[in-house]
Amino acid sequence: MTAAVKPASRPFEVTNRMVFSIAAPMTLAFLTTPILGIVDTTVIGQFGDARLIGGLAVGAIIFDIVFTTLNFLRSGTTGFVAQAFGRDDGAEQQAVFWRAIILASGLGLALLVLAWPIREIGVWLMAPGEGVADATRTYVTIRMLAAPFSLINYALLGLLLGQGRAMTSLALQTLLNGINIAGSIWFGLVLGWAIEGVALGTVLGEATAAIAGFWWIRRGFDHAHAPTWDHIFERVEFLRLISVNRDIMIRSFALLAGFSLFTRTGAQFGAVTLAANAILMNFFMIAGYYLDGFATAAEQIVGRAIGANHKPAFWRAVKLTCLWGFALAGFTTVIVFFAGGPVIDFMTTAEGVREIAKTYLPWAAVTAVMGVLAFQMDGVYIGATWSRDMRNMMLASLALLFALVYVLVPVYGNHGLWFALNAFLGARGLTLLANLPRRARTVFA
């Protein structure tokens, strides 16, 4: 039996500048998403019809569930491309790209075929009023036309991030959301097409970004090292991509289940507490946008280090991204703790909601610190394509959340619920961190 040959090391230096060159543009890119949601809601709000606003909100939730689940196309592509980039294997980078494009196109077409049942199941689960349901059906039917383009954009972004081209990623996301915003305003407000116009704006943005991004990336390929079709459809590598994506999808399902349990349990305390919890969760969601930026930096640099077989770069990437993540998370916690009250007053005029939200504000303030390690470890494990560990640790953390909710909520009420959420976030990060040295040894042994 011939022993496996250890690949040659390709050393490179990991610096703060390298980390920020990826994290900063991606933070800006991620921040364009809530701006888009605000614009869409504002456009629909000009028509003064609560049913349209409700239809947009319910439709957005349905798409969030579907596309958050399918975001593995971006994550899985990033990890494999980053590793090929670290090996300086241009042919494999292109092969991963084409595999991701083929998978994205197939899943996008499947969503088009399944649009009607997805729409009807979503409406049934959300159970909105009759007028809201009609608006939801209209929005989902039109916006689903963008499904193939949306998934292709995940693959495009995955390649760019895997290669560390964060500025190009920012440009692509800005193009996508910019045209989406302009289209929503034009079709929805100027032409007066309301919710149909907002949905068409999304289709236009996704399609334009997919076509322009695909053309730009394809144009920049080194065609002298283009992979053959046999290489692209190599069975083992294709199945490996599917396997990693499957595990990340399960992990995303579990994460959604955790937040859904938090919301559903909070609803048992009444509408006022439910509204207060929803307002407080915005602090965590906002922190997530820039924490995701450093997690993305971890994805690329860790994947590159593994591909380059350079252990010092791996641990340096883990250290720097975690340090900066904790620094920003700590800053966020302090700001939320001391400035959260006025923000709550701005977000709602309901005195009951204000009072309850301020009572539980300290719990919301610490979510950034409790969750930062989970963000960073997700980035590390995605870059390393250790998807099975991500899946297993997420499921274990979800089981802990269910147990804590079952034990603590009946005794401590909403305080117990917020404790359980923070424990869930912390457990995700700590279990992945504890597993990290063992996994690293298997790669760099």
Side-chain angles (χ1 to χ4, degrees):
M1 181 181 293
T2 303
V5 177
K6 184 178 179 180
S9 179
R10 300 175 58 84
F12 66 97
E13 185 180 2
V14 179
T15 63
N16 287 309
R17 182 176 182 179
M18 175 187 287
V19 170
F20 272 89
S21 71
I22 299 172
M26 292 317 301
T27 296
L28 293 175
F30 293 141
L31 285 173
T32 62
T33 300
I35 294 173
L36 172 61
I38 292 170
V39 170
D40 284 352
T41 302
T42 302
V43 168
I44 296 301
Q46 303 308 303
F47 291 88
D49 189 338
R51 294 171 299 178
L52 295 179
I53 298 175
L56 176 66
V58 173
I61 290 172
I62 293 172
F63 278 97
D64 282 346
I65 292 172
V66 173
F67 287 102
T68 297
T69 302
L70 295 175
N71 190 47
F72 60 73
L73 283 165
R74 201 283 298 166
S75 304
T77 305
T78 298
F80 285 116
V81 170
Q83 291 178 27
F85 181 79
R87 296 191 302 269
D88 195 25
D89 188 345
E92 180 61 15
Q93 292 176 57
Q94 294 184 46
V96 172
F97 170 77
W98 286 114
R99 291 174 199 138
I101 289 292
I102 292 166
L103 189 56
S105 300
L107 289 172
L109 292 175
L111 287 179
L112 288 180
V113 173
L114 297 172
W116 186 87
I118 290 173
R119 184 192 71 186
E120 293 306 311
I121 291 172
V123 170
W124 176 71
L125 288 173
M126 300 299 294
E130 188 60 35
V132 175
D134 291 340
T136 299
R137 289 187 175 96
T138 299
Y139 179 76
V140 172
T141 299
I142 296 173
R143 184 175 166 182
M144 192 61 81
L145 297 173
F149 299 113
S150 300
L151 298 187
I152 287 172
N153 281 322
Y154 284 164
L156 300 177
L157 189 59
L159 175 89
L160 293 173
L161 292 177
Q163 295 177 334
R165 296 160 64 185
M167 290 303 296
T168 307
S169 302
L170 172 60
L172 184 63
Q173 289 298 105
T174 302
L175 174 67
L176 190 160
N177 288 328
I179 291 180
N180 193 335
I181 289 171
S184 295
I185 293 173
W186 177 257
F187 294 129
L189 201 57
V190 176
L191 298 183
W193 293 355
I195 200 164
E196 293 93 337
V198 169
L200 280 173
T202 300
V203 175
L204 180 62
E206 295 284 357
T208 303
I211 294 169
F214 182 85
W215 173 81
W216 181 259
I217 289 172
R218 182 77 176 82
R219 177 175 172 268
F221 278 157
D222 179 3
H223 297 290
H225 296 91
T228 64
W229 285 111
D230 286 341
H231 183 184
I232 293 170
F233 284 100
E234 188 176 346
R235 184 174 180 273
V236 172
E237 293 301 323
F238 221 118
L239 289 177
R240 188 172 173 227
L241 176 63
I242 293 173
S243 175
V244 166
N245 287 337
R246 177 203 62 206
D247 292 335
I248 296 175
M249 181 180 69
I250 294 171
R251 168 257 183 198
S252 298
F253 264 128
L255 185 61
L256 285 171
F259 286 120
S260 297
L261 176 65
F262 176 83
T263 302
R264 181 175 180 178
T265 305
Q268 297 175 6
F269 302 121
V272 176
T273 300
L274 176 63
N277 284 350
I279 287 174
L280 292 174
M281 278 300 292
N282 281 294
F283 293 118
F284 173 69
M285 296 302 179
I286 291 171
Y289 286 116
Y290 58 76
L291 293 179
D292 258 339
F294 284 96
T296 302
E299 291 177 28
Q300 199 279 331
I301 302 172
V302 163
R304 179 182 174 185
I306 288 177
N309 189 34
H310 189 46
K311 184 178 178 180
F314 173 88
W315 286 112
R316 178 76 170 164
V318 173
K319 178 182 177 181
L320 287 184
T321 57
C322 283
L323 281 176
W324 281 110
F326 270 108
L328 286 174
F331 175 76
T332 301
T333 292
V334 172
I335 293 298
V336 171
F337 188 84
F338 288 103
V343 174
I344 291 169
D345 291 338
F346 175 78
M347 294 179 71
T348 178
T349 58
E351 286 301 327
V353 175
R354 285 177 171 178
E355 182 180 351
I356 291 179
K358 290 175 184 177
T359 298
Y360 299 104
L361 179 62
W363 289 113
V366 299
T367 54
V369 170
M370 294 300 295
V372 62
L373 191 58
F375 278 92
Q376 296 313 117
M377 288 297 104
D378 276 353
V380 170
Y381 277 69
I382 286 171
T385 60
W386 297 333
S387 58
R388 182 178 299 178
D389 298 272
M390 283 181 62
R391 178 199 67 194
N392 293 343
M393 301 307 171
M394 171 62 80
L395 292 175
S397 300
L398 182 63
L400 174 66
L401 174 63
F402 272 87
L404 289 176
V405 167
Y406 178 78
V407 172
L408 297 179
V409 169
V411 180
Y412 299 103
N414 204 41
H415 284 291
L417 180 61
W418 275 99
F419 178 89
L421 177 67
N422 278 285
F424 168 63
L425 296 172
R428 284 185 56 218
L430 289 173
T431 53
L432 291 170
L433 179 63
N435 188 57
L436 189 59
R438 180 186 67 83
R439 291 303 270 125
R441 285 194 297 270
T442 64
V443 173
F444 297 107

